[in-house]
Amino acid sequence: MSIPGPAGQGLQLTPFRGLRYVAERVGSLAAVTSPPYDVVVRPEGLRELETSDPYNIVRLILPQAGTPEARHRQAAETLRRWQADGVLAPDPEPALYVYEQRDGPTLQRGLIGALRLSPREEGIVLPHEEVMPHIVEDRADLMRATAAHLEPLLLAYRGNGNGASANGASGNGAAGQGTGGPGTGGAAEVIERTILREPLLSTTTEDGVDHHLWRVTNPTDLVEVSTDLRHHQALIADGHHRWATYLRLREERREPGPWDFGLVLLVDTARYPLRVRAIHRLLRRLSPDQALPAVRRAFRVRTIDGPLPRALETLAEAAEAARAKPGAPNAFLLAGGGRFHLLDRPDPELLARTIPDGRPEAWRTLDATVLHHTLLDHLWNVPDTPEHIGYLHDPTAAVEQAERLGGTVVLMHPVREDVVHELARQGIAMPHKSTSFGPKPATGLVLRSLTLG
């Protein structure tokens, strides 16, 4: 995704003074990190993070108190106290950060920095999902209170290398041996040179992922990165609500300043392709006995065997088979009450009545579009509010919660990445929570305070 025309019209990634944990003050760096705020959804997961270390970052991104105002105030007070006590300390000078994640054969490297904010119409940062106003408002209140960006967004762009995957069969991920190494120039070459040095920090989180961080301060390297990135645009892979929050808070300020930039991780997906996974819907107040009679009038419904991994394989097979045929390529897996039901072959006439016109066919046939407009709005009449719908990345957690609540979970098949990119380039937003790109950056390795120089 390159932007034609003169430099200065694309991505502008700037150094900042990272706010980081002081290793000697915490049990371990792994113990103070967390997944992104919207992935920590299970109460037991939140409690586990809170008890892993008294300074776990979850106390900032998901503070626990009786009211929203109290939560945000608590996060701000905690952040100030940790800085005063030397638990968090700023780096001595502004820098970009090379960030590496290694999960078995999967290797991802990118650059963390402060990115100049731009609205959608500039065509520099492309959203691909709609956002929910109540989440943007909550994140805005938290950012106002803390005056900090606590976790980076994940943005994807395509660099100018040879386009081969660093995770392919020939790439072993050794330092300096990835595809598009020295000689390709720009940000890619700066990253390859940087990883030859000793990391600023290294840790392995409980999920077995290795994390490494390097600081880039050399003026020549910074200019090389800046010159390269200004010719590119990026897709928001993860963090639509935080990006919308950045834009809202920038509009509140009349004078130029730190709020004109947002904390991001930029990954060149020509070298390090992202994984695309689905986000599932937990219908807290709709039981399977209520859900199934309504859908039998509009979908083919079949009871399928478990356990969950086998049921998900059946969903994947059905989804791929549906996409290969003309008509609506939709398939869903309903779980709850100890059973699994596969939904496919929706009634074309019902889809024509319930799916809005005026959008590309690729949008009208998305599973998330059919789910929200046909199933949730028309057949089930379920309002899209937190009391009724939960959004979960982990299918096991989604099924467990459905069983505990007596509700229903709709398990989704991932969207193809090319569909996401094509709709984003057309300026068409997918329904919120349509995709989950990863690997996601760990929260807590580097923060951005808006009060630092």
Side-chain angles (χ1 to χ4, degrees):
M1 292 187 291
S2 297
I3 291 186
Q9 299 302 309
L11 301 167
Q12 297 181 35
L13 192 69
T14 64
F16 69 102
R17 291 180 67 195
L19 187 63
R20 298 188 299 106
Y21 280 99
V22 177
E24 296 77 15
R25 295 298 311 275
V26 298
S28 72
L29 289 174
V32 295
T33 63
S34 164
Y37 79 97
D38 58 339
V39 179
V40 185
V41 292
R42 288 183 289 181
E44 59 271 25
L46 179 60
R47 287 192 295 270
E48 181 178 341
L49 290 167
E50 286 182 322
T51 57
S52 64
D53 190 285
Y55 301 118
N56 188 281
I57 193 69
V58 78
R59 297 178 184 273
L60 299 181
I61 63 172
L62 288 174
Q64 300 300 294
T67 66
E69 295 79 8
R71 290 197 296 271
H72 303 139
R73 185 170 58 252
Q74 177 177 300
E77 292 171 352
T78 299
L79 179 59
R80 285 192 293 269
R81 185 174 67 253
W82 288 359
Q83 291 181 81
D85 293 345
V87 175
L88 289 168
D91 281 335
E93 60 182 320
L96 297 179
Y97 297 84
V98 172
Y99 176 44
E100 176 184 289
Q101 294 163 277
R102 191 185 295 270
D103 182 9
T106 299
L107 174 67
Q108 178 172 285
R109 294 185 183 124
L111 285 166
I112 295 176
L115 185 71
R116 185 184 73 85
L117 304 179
S118 58
R120 180 200 294 265
E121 53 267 23
E122 289 189 15
I124 297 171
V125 175
L126 304 177
H128 70 269
E129 289 184 354
E130 298 169 348
V131 296
M132 293 179 278
H134 72 277
I135 296 180
V136 175
E137 188 59 46
D138 177 74
R139 293 294 101 181
D141 288 342
L142 179 64
M143 287 185 197
R144 287 190 200 97
T146 59
H149 295 159
L150 302 172
E151 46 188 334
L153 283 66
L154 176 60
L155 269 61
Y157 78 102
R158 295 190 69 82
N160 295 325
N162 61 17
S165 168
N167 298 318
S170 61
N172 61 13
Q177 299 300 311
T179 58
T184 62
E189 187 164 320
V190 170
I191 290 174
E192 294 298 331
R193 290 198 301 265
T194 300
I195 62 170
L196 298 176
R197 306 197 308 259
E198 188 72 19
L200 182 66
L201 66 84
S202 297
T203 190
T204 302
T205 45
E206 279 197 359
D207 55 7
V209 178
D210 296 324
H211 305 263
H212 305 282
L213 197 72
W214 292 263
R215 194 163 45 215
V216 180
T217 58
N218 181 283
T220 302
D221 289 342
L222 295 175
V223 169
E224 191 170 348
V225 169
S226 177
T227 302
D228 180 11
L229 293 180
R230 283 172 183 258
H231 294 282
H232 295 286
Q233 63 182 176
L235 177 79
I236 300 177
D238 185 68
H240 283 80
H241 290 89
R242 282 166 283 163
W243 181 259
T245 302
Y246 288 168
L247 294 176
R248 173 183 293 192
L249 296 180
R250 184 193 64 171
E251 291 301 314
E252 295 177 359
R253 271 85 184 162
R254 295 182 180 273
E255 299 297 326
W259 296 90
D260 294 335
F261 298 82
L263 182 64
V264 306
L265 166 64
L266 273 173
V267 173
D268 178 357
T269 56
R271 295 168 48 75
Y272 303 104
L274 298 176
R275 298 190 300 250
V276 187
R277 292 177 175 168
I279 302 178
H280 312 290
R281 274 62 169 168
L282 170 65
L283 311 181
R284 307 180 195 276
R285 301 181 181 180
L286 184 74
S287 71
D289 289 341
Q290 295 170 310
L292 287 168
V295 296
R296 290 187 192 280
R297 302 194 301 269
F299 287 76
R300 181 175 69 168
V301 180
R302 291 174 288 164
T303 303
I304 61 173
D305 294 331
L308 178 58
R310 182 186 301 172
L312 289 171
E313 288 177 4
T314 303
L315 171 63
E317 293 167 359
E320 294 303 326
R323 288 171 179 168
K325 296 179 181 178
N330 307 114
F332 307 94
L333 183 64
L334 263 60
R339 296 173 297 168
F340 298 101
H341 294 89
L342 183 68
L343 278 58
D344 62 359
R345 299 185 184 178
D347 178 5
E349 293 184 2
L350 176 64
L351 297 183
R353 293 198 312 269
T354 56
I355 303 298
D357 291 325
R359 300 287 185 93
E361 186 67 12
W363 181 90
R364 299 185 80 250
T365 56
L366 286 170
D367 285 342
T369 299
V370 172
L371 171 61
H372 281 266
H373 289 278
T374 303
L375 285 166
L376 296 176
D377 291 349
H378 182 77
L379 294 177
W380 290 333
N381 196 27
V382 175
D384 194 358
T385 63
E387 295 77 20
H388 289 86
I389 302 179
Y391 294 85
L392 290 87
H393 296 72
D394 182 355
T396 301
V399 173
E400 288 174 354
Q401 289 203 34
E403 296 293 345
R404 185 168 64 249
L405 296 173
T408 301
V409 64
V410 182
L411 299 168
M412 312 277 283
H413 188 64
V415 183
R416 297 197 317 274
E417 185 175 356
D418 63 310
V419 173
V420 178
H421 284 275
E422 181 56 34
L423 289 173
R425 281 191 288 267
Q426 295 179 52
I428 304 297
M430 299 166 64
H432 52 258
K433 302 295 185 182
S434 293
T435 61
S436 176
F437 281 89
K440 303 179 190 300
T443 299
L445 295 181
V446 59
L447 290 61
R448 178 176 179 245
S449 171
L450 291 122
T451 62
L452 293 173

